[in-house]
Every structure is written in structure tokens, then in C-alpha cells.
Amino acid sequence: MHFRDFIILFFYVCHCLYSCAAQSYVLDDKYGLGRTFDGIGGLSGGGATSRLLVNYPEPYRSQILDYLFKPNFGASLHILKVEIGGDAQTTDGTESSHMHYKDDENYFRGYEWWLMKEAKKRNPNITLIGLPWAFPGWVGSGKNWPYDFPDITAYYVVSWIIGAKQYHDLDINYVGIWNERKFDTKYIKLLRYTLDKSGLKGVKIIASDNLWEPITMCMLIDQELHDAIDVIGAHYPGTLTVSEALMSDKQLWSSEDYSTFNDDVGGGCWARILNQNYVNGRMTATISWNLIASYYEELPFGRDGLMTAEEPWSGNYVVESPIWITAHTTQFTQPGWTYLQTVGHLLNGGSYVALTDGLGNLTIVIETMTHDHSVCIRPPLPAFNVSAQNATFNLKGSFSSLEMLQVWYSRFDFKTNKSKFFQKLEPIKLSRGSFTLNLNVDEVYTLTTLKTGNKGTYPKPPDSAPFPKQYKDNFNVRNPAFTEAPDFADQTGVFEYFINMTDPGDHVFTLRQVVTQRPVTWATDADQTISIIGDHAWQNISLTCDIYIETPETGGVFVGGRVNKGGGSVRDAKGIFFWVFADGTYRVTNDISGNIVMAKGLSGTRAGVWHTLTLNIEGDFASGLLNGYPLWKNATILGPSNGWAAIGTSTFEFAQFDNFYVNAN
Ligand SMILES: *[C@@H]1O[C@H](CO)[C@@H](O)[C@H](O)[C@H]1NC(C)=O
Ligand SMILES: *[C@@H]1O[C@H](CO)[C@@H](O)[C@H](O)[C@H]1NC(C)=O
Ligand SMILES: *[C@@H]1O[C@H](CO)[C@@H](O)[C@H](O)[C@H]1NC(C)=O
Ligand SMILES: *[C@@H]1O[C@H](CO)[C@@H](O)[C@H](O)[C@H]1NC(C)=O
Ligand SMILES: *[C@@H]1O[C@H](CO)[C@@H](O)[C@H](O)[C@H]1NC(C)=O
Ligand SMILES: *[C@@H]1O[C@H](CO)[C@@H](O)[C@H](O)[C@H]1NC(C)=O
Ligand SMILES: *[C@@H]1O[C@H](CO)[C@@H](O)[C@H](O)[C@H]1NC(C)=O
Ligand SMILES: *[C@@H]1O[C@H](CO)[C@@H](O)[C@H](O)[C@H]1NC(C)=O
């Protein structure tokens, strides 16, 4: 904080003490303005959080995208941050890399390219950010560490930025280091150098997407590092920052925040975060993890998104309260606007911020959230007591002559469940630059000179429905925009569409596991690969799938049911796993790591030949068929009682799958 800010703060605290009975607040630009606002955004990835969105049928998919990105419609986001896929598990799944192998480059994998283009189509001004969580194994030369060869890591990241422009005409505005992991100052400087050398001087660097320290201290003592970094980005700051960060001349961002279940309580958390990240911590951008809850809800952090779209099979989606809370700020500001210095807490709890475009427009956002912070974010903030209050705002400086403000209003009602969101109220007439609000608890107000606000709507989407009990995919019908088969959610490894033009028969179009080396991981990936699909509540299933082991002698493939865990817990997944191996054996295990053996024996399976596996699970027993003939039967299941269907491999190895069919009737 500058000395001048102290004086002003002191002035308003005193002012407040003298006039507490009146509870009045001054909004003034007389002494200059505060920091430049950089926007509010959502994060797709870290990981696979948008996985199911891409499989929504139209018109629902476009409607969902409108609620997220379309200006003056819904959340009207200013920022889209995406994961730079690294082939590894990054919370709710893996995201595909643009370079699986050393000599490999492909900028059409996964769905983040598509998502960025859809966002840009709706808001050409949207700010784009890329950040790696994990890296393909070759980037670390086999070690779980990307900095031993920083030139390779910088080349890998900069290639992604160049590919975004070359193949998708996307300008990436910011790039990060390594999500929530250690940084290496040598690497950051080299990344800056590599960007500059590649004609990407305009791409700014965020560091370090972790805590405020030690990055801030390192920047203070290392001028070259300080010059290389444009934004200090902290995660889950709890609205607070550190004094060294305030003293630096860098923008401060909450580059990942929220991570709360998106019911109304979550919406309330988000309202408080959006205001108080600036009021308490002078952060000028806040990014929600995650953008949209589009992953199986039983994976970790189910529904921690601004809205929910987790049923592509039904088309059902839910525009949750955080969308409208976001709109309270995003629809009435733009990156490049400036906060007033006169922001703060309300005397009976809650907070207010004010921003201006410098052309006379003013937007004020007020929140009076009550509920317990412990449900909101980590670490929890100190709790405040909030009660009803009358607040008078006095507009001074260039705003003193404003006569009218538009009013947008939300009210959380946790008791009667009759919350109201983003309602347009009658404009307020100002009398000599002053107005008074009768504030209740758990309210959000926007008061603004802008008349552009709009609560977008679409007809009610289809009703929610469980995953279909019968599901088949022969991987022949493909949406060429995507490399993944619908609804398969990779938890270790990457499963891609594959074409084998020389296949003589029915297996030209298959699904192939393509990660052949353990990645530089971010979470604890399994030593096996696995992709899940279906309904976590499934108990009794019959699953048939053609499989093709590609690795002679050591290769192995499985089909599974009742798989109970994914995400960062994928190593601990239990279920019924039916494996066949290139060495002519089979095994049935109760866990993905293959330690709890339920049955085993000879199968005659080998690499380079298609086999058909069938797994039947009913009640406490399971049986398996190979090429239509019983191979093992009546294996006793001790647990789990339910879970997803799955396919996978016994190591990081190539293998193919075809004619997948699951029946859960
Ligand atoms: C994009 O930004 C420009 C310049 O600030 C502005 O004139 C234009 O209205 C913006 N477009 C949208 C869709 O917000
Ligand atoms: C406010 O913003 C609008 C729309 O961007 C612009 O036309 C107007 O000049 C700005 N200033 C005032 C005082 O309304
Ligand atoms: C909140 O109010 C309650 C009851 O009035 C009081 O016991 C508590 O100390 C207050 N907490 C804070 C943080 O002011
Ligand atoms: C706010 O002011 C109104 C009169 O305008 C009064 O009836 C009400 O009690 C006040 N509320 C509070 C919390 O002071
Ligand atoms: C509030 O409404 C939602 C959706 O209609 C419902 O799921 C939830 O159980 C309700 N909560 C209470 C406390 O009634
Ligand atoms: C493609 O099919 C041919 C002919 O069956 C086979 O020899 C080859 O191994 C297949 N390639 C892959 C990668 O599956
Ligand atoms: C699964 O099968 C068992 C044994 O037949 C039966 O008791 C159980 O109800 C079935 N579960 C479901 C969800 O149908
Ligand atoms: C399966 O095994 C159980 C005991 O483990 C036995 O009671 C049951 O009869 C067997 N069922 C079949 C079909 O063999």
C-alpha cells in the first residue's frame, strides 16, 4: 500500500467513526483511483472439468456456452483459463497433451481449443490463459520434475501458445508456470526469453499459481525475475494478501478460487470472494475453479463449478446461483476499468466496491453475506457478524452530478429456499449525489450507470435422467472436432480415436490408449491406465468389449465394473477388474493395482490379435468370458457394491478397444 493510501484509509476510518449513526460511505475519485480491474473468469481444467460438456447435444451445448460467455446474458465472463493438457491426472481426469512424445505435435486433441474458440466467438475480448498441471514423461526425461531441462519445458509450453495461434487463431494472453508446484527462477526467466524470441512479447507471465510466497520475496530480491513476471497469481487466498505483494508494482490476482459446491451457499461464498478479494487483498482478477461442473459428480469436488452440466445423455443442465452472482460484476464492468480507492467493509458486515471506466460510468457492487466461511474456501476467513443496516452512499468528485443509477438485486434465502437472483429493480434517483439502501442480510446489489444489464434465459432444458442402462459405442461414428469418445472419462492415460487403414476387418476405427510413459504427474496417477464411463450407482452389469493388446509378452488389458474411485484417488480404485495378458494368462482382481486377486489362470491371449472380453457382475458374484466362452465364473465379490464401468491397460502401453457394450439392466 502506498503512503497516500494509508492517509486516505485513515481519513475514511475517521470519517466513519464520526458518522457511524448515519452509516454513510463516500465514493470519490478526487484523490485518484485504485488499481486497474483485470476481470472475472472461470477455469476449465485441472483437470478434465469440462469433459462431459463437449458431448451435449445442440441446442443445449450452445445455451450453456451462452450462460458462461455471452456478454450481457449470464456470467459474461471476462477471462477463460484452461489447462495445457499433460496426459496426467489433474483432479477429475486427464487432459490430452499436444505432444505425447518427443517428436509428436498435434493441436487438435482434447476440448480446450474448442472451448476457447466458443468463448472467443461470444466475447472477442475474452482474456485467455494457459497453465500446465502436468507434462508428458519425455519433458522430464523420465523424472517427475520439469526443470532439469528448462529449455525443453519452455519449448513445450511455447509450442502450445504458437499452436493456438497457428491452428485456431487464438491469442493466448497469459501463461503460467506449474500449477501449485515449486517454481524454478531459471525456468521463469527462460520462459520469458523463449516467448520473446518466438515473437510472443505480448504474452504475459503469471507466477506462481500457488501461495503469495515465496514467489513475491524472490521477485523483490531478483530484478530479472521481477521483470519476467507480469502478474502475481495466488490460489485460494481467502481474500488476503501479503504486504510484499502490495508493495510490488505487479497486479495481484486470485488466479484460482472458489472450489465450493455450487448450491446457494456456494453462490454466497462467491459473492463475498468477488468483492472482498479487492477490498481486503487488492486482487484485481478472480478465477473460479472451476468454470463448469461437467464431470461425473462422484469424482472429487463434484459440482464445484459456476454451473452444472453433467448429463450430456439427457441434455439437462442447471444455471446455478454463482452464474448470476458473477453477472452482478461482469455485466457492468470490463477489464481495464479501475477500482475507486473508496472501497471497504460495511459497518454491520458486508462490503462494497466501486469501479469506473474513466469516462464517467460508475458501477457499485455491495454484498452482505452472512454464512459461515468454513463451507466456502480454504483457508476460511475470519467470520463476520452481519445484520440489517441502512447505508447511505455519497458520490463525490466526478460522480457528484450523477442523477440516477440502474439497480440489479439478488437475495439468498437459505431458510425458505426462495432466493432471487439478478433481478432488475426500479432505478434509484440520487439526491445531491446521495442515496440510501435499506440493506438486509445475504443480499447483492449492483448500482450502475450502465443500462446494458440483461438476465438471459432459454426454455427449461430436459429433465435430469440417469446414464442410459444400455450403452454401446463401436467408435465408428465420430465427431471430428474431438479425439475422445463420448462420456469416457480418462483417469490415467489418454484414450483417443484411432484409425488403422490396414486392418482387414472390423477394427479400422477403434479407441486407443496412447500414453506410453508415466507423465510428470501432478496427482497420484495409477501405474495402470483407466477410463471410466456410466453411472456410479451401477451394481449389476454385463460388459462386452473387443480388445487388442499391442505389446508382446508384457502387455495387458482389462475391462472393469463397480469402479468406485477416480481423480486423485485413482490409485486406490476398487472394483472388479478382468485382465488378460499377452503372456497367455488372465487375472480377476478387486483393485486396479492388481494386488487383490479373485481368480487367475491361463487364457491363451496374446498381442496382435483381437479378443472379446465379457464381464458379468451380479450381486456378490462375477464371471468372465473370452471370445464368448466361459473363462472363469462365480468369483466372490467382497466389495464395492457399485461403481462405474471401465477399460484400461496394465501399464503405460498402447492398446485398443472396440465394440464397447454395457448393459446395466
Ligand atoms: C471489446 O472491447 C472493445 C474495446 O474496449 C469494445 O469497444 C467492445 O464493445 C468490446 N466487445 C465486446 C463484445 O465486449
Ligand atoms: C458510459 O458507457 C457508455 C457505454 O459504453 C458510453 O456510451 C458512455 O459515454 C459512458 N459514459 C457515461 C457518462 O455514461
Ligand atoms: C457475533 O455476534 C455474536 C452474538 O452477538 C457474538 O457472540 C460474537 O462474538 C460475534 N462475533 C464476532 C466475530 O464479532
Ligand atoms: C432503516 O431505515 C428505515 C426508515 O427508512 C427504518 O424503518 C429501519 O428500521 C432502518 N433499519 C435499520 C436496520 O436501521
Ligand atoms: C431448496 O431447493 C432445492 C432445489 O429445488 C432443493 O434441492 C433443496 O433440497 C431445497 N432446500 C431446502 C432447505 O428446502
Ligand atoms: C493395423 O492392422 C494391421 C493389420 O491387421 C496390423 O498388422 C497392425 O498391427 C495394426 N496396427 C495397429 C497399430 O494396431
Ligand atoms: C443386483 O443383483 C442382486 C442379486 O441378483 C440383487 O439383489 C440386487 O437388487 C441387484 N441390484 C440392482 C440395483 O438391481
Ligand atoms: C457360487 O458360489 C457360492 C459360494 O461361494 C455358491 O453358494 C453358489 O452355488 C455358486 N453358484 C454357482 C452358479 O456356481
Side-chain angles (χ1 to χ4, degrees), residues 330-509:
T330 51
Q331 289 203 11
F332 311 103
T333 57
Q334 285 297 327
W337 282 43
T338 312
Y339 281 101
L340 271 58
Q341 293 192 1
T342 49
V343 301
H345 292 275
L346 299 169
L347 284 167
N348 286 12
S351 67
Y352 63 98
V353 295
L355 301 98
T356 180
D357 64 351
L359 305 170
N361 280 302
L362 177 69
T363 290
I364 306 162
V365 187
I366 299 164
E367 59 80 24
T368 57
M369 294 304 129
T370 55
H371 45 279
D372 184 3
H373 283 285
S374 62
V375 297
C376 291
I377 45 171
R378 48 176 203 266
L381 285 168
F384 295 104
N385 281 336
V386 185
S387 57
Q389 56 195 311
N390 290 328
T392 298
F393 290 84
N394 296 307
L395 276 48
K396 303 266 161 111
S398 55
F399 309 112
S400 57
S401 56
L402 289 177
E403 290 175 352
M404 194 185 278
L405 291 171
Q406 308 297 313
V407 184
W408 291 82
Y409 174 70
S410 293
R411 164 101 206 254
F412 290 95
D413 190 331
F414 303 105
K415 291 204 182 82
T416 64
N417 213 357
K418 289 200 181 106
S419 298
K420 302 170 187 169
F421 297 115
F422 206 56
Q423 298 193 327
K424 188 166 180 3
L425 304 185
E426 283 302 306
I428 282 189
K429 286 205 177 66
L430 276 60
S431 118
R432 276 174 289 138
S434 166
F435 65 92
T436 298
L437 290 177
N438 197 329
L439 296 173
N440 211 324
V441 297
D442 295 316
E443 291 181 329
V444 183
Y445 276 93
T446 301
L447 300 109
T448 177
T449 55
L450 294 184
K451 295 184 177 146
T452 42
N454 170 46
K455 185 172 186 179
T457 65
Y458 280 115
K460 196 167 132 1
D463 288 339
S464 171
F467 194 95
K469 281 181 183 295
Q470 294 189 5
Y471 186 85
K472 62 173 96 173
D473 195 340
N474 59 16
F475 310 118
N476 294 4
V477 180
R478 299 169 173 203
N479 180 340
F482 301 108
T483 46
E484 290 108 336
D487 305 343
F488 276 92
D490 305 348
Q491 300 302 313
T492 296
V494 170
F495 295 70
E496 281 178 1
Y497 283 138
F498 184 66
I499 302 179
N500 185 352
M501 293 308 284
T502 62
D503 182 90
D506 303 331
H507 301 296
V508 175
F509 297 97

Side-chain angles (χ1 to χ4, degrees), residues 41-45 47-54 56 60-61 63-69 77 80 92 112 114-115 258 262 288-295 301-310 316-320 323:
L43 169 47
S44 171
T49 54
S50 305
R51 175 64 193 90
L52 297 174
L53 173 62
V54 303
Y56 266 74
Y60 310 115
R61 194 175 67 178
Q63 293 172 0
I64 294 164
L65 293 164
D66 285 350
Y67 280 115
L68 294 172
F69 299 117
L77 292 171
L80 172 60
D92 288 297
E112 304 296 4
W114 165 83
L115 186 63
Y258 181 58
N262 63 14
S288 166
W289 188 87
N290 46 64
L291 170 72
I292 184 163
S294 278
Y295 44 100
F301 307 100
R303 275 184 59 187
D304 282 13
L306 295 176
M307 63 181 282
T308 307
E310 55 187 18
N316 177 263
Y317 64 85
V318 188
V319 183
E320 315 276 5
I323 290 289

Side-chain angles (χ1 to χ4, degrees), residues 621 633-634 636:
F621 302 102
K633 58 184 177 187
N634 210 23
T636 305

Side-chain angles (χ1 to χ4, degrees), residues 183-190 192 207 213-230 232 244 248-250:
F183 59 87
D184 176 300
T185 58
K186 201 166 86 194
Y187 169 70
I188 297 175
K189 294 171 193 172
L190 190 64
R192 180 71 268 159
E213 298 293 9
I215 188 70
T216 306
M217 202 49 100
C218 290
M219 288 166 72
L220 276 180
I221 59 175
D222 182 340
Q223 187 63 38
E224 193 189 344
L225 182 71
H226 177 277
D227 294 346
I229 294 168
D230 297 279
I232 307 179
E244 289 81 16
S248 78
D249 55 356
K250 302 294 177 182

Side-chain angles (χ1 to χ4, degrees), residues 598-638:
M598 299 162 65
K600 62 178 178 179
L602 295 177
S603 59
T605 46
R606 58 197 166 90
V609 180
W610 281 93
H611 301 286
T612 303
L613 299 185
T614 302
L615 172 63
N616 296 314
I617 303 173
E618 189 177 341
D620 296 332
F621 302 102
S623 61
L625 288 76
L626 175 65
N627 302 328
Y629 297 98
L631 185 64
W632 52 277
K633 58 184 177 187
N634 210 23
T636 305
I637 301 169
L638 298 173

